[in-house]
């Protein structure tokens, strides 16, 4: 499947990572599992990375793809990093 890679600056082909839910539950936090498996989201203003201002890269917890640079975040007023 194609996913945008921030480091490459382009969509890149990524092999799907196939694991049973039980395997994902062991390797992810409960919140990560719910967000990535069941389209859940954390409550507004509770994300520990909401105020993160250091240089860095946000990566997918499932496939490891570099999704976006922390410097590209902006305050959307919604309570979630945007």
């Amino acid at each position: 499947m194609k996913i945008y890679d921030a480091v490459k600056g382009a969509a890149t082909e990524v092999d799907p990572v196939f694991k049973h839910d039980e395997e994902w539950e062991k390797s992810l936090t409960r919140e990560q599992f719910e967000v990535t498996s069941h389209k859940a989201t954390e409550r507004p203003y509770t994300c520990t990375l909401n105020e993160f201002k250091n240089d860095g890269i946000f990566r997918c917890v499932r496939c490891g793809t570099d999704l976006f640079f922390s410097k590209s975040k902006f305050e959307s007023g919604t309570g979630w990093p945007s």
Side-chain angles (χ1 to χ4, degrees), residues 24-25 73:
W24 284 119
E25 287 181 300
K73 282 178 37 181

Side-chain angles (χ1 to χ4, degrees), residues 42-78:
E42 69 273 358
R43 290 186 340 269
Y45 302 103
T46 62
C47 178
T48 58
L49 300 174
N50 202 33
E51 298 299 321
F52 185 80
K53 305 290 187 211
N54 298 344
D55 287 340
I57 298 173
F58 285 80
R59 290 189 176 93
C60 176
V61 295
R62 289 201 175 215
C63 70
T65 301
D66 298 322
L67 299 176
F68 63 93
F69 294 97
S70 59
K71 65 183 176 187
S72 66
K73 282 178 37 181
F74 64 92
E75 179 54 55
S76 66
T78 63

Side-chain angles (χ1 to χ4, degrees), residues 34-48:
E34 290 299 322
V35 168
T36 60
S37 298
H38 300 125
K39 300 179 184 178
T41 187
E42 69 273 358
R43 290 186 340 269
Y45 302 103
T46 62
C47 178
T48 58

Side-chain angles (χ1 to χ4, degrees), residues 6-37:
V7 173
K8 293 178 182 177
T12 187
E13 195 70 32
V14 176
D15 291 331
V17 180
F18 294 105
K19 292 183 183 181
H20 293 286
D21 280 353
E22 295 79 20
E23 293 174 274
W24 284 119
E25 287 181 300
K26 289 178 185 175
S27 63
L28 301 173
T29 66
R30 186 76 191 149
E31 184 176 58
Q32 289 170 331
F33 177 75
E34 290 299 322
V35 168
T36 60
S37 298

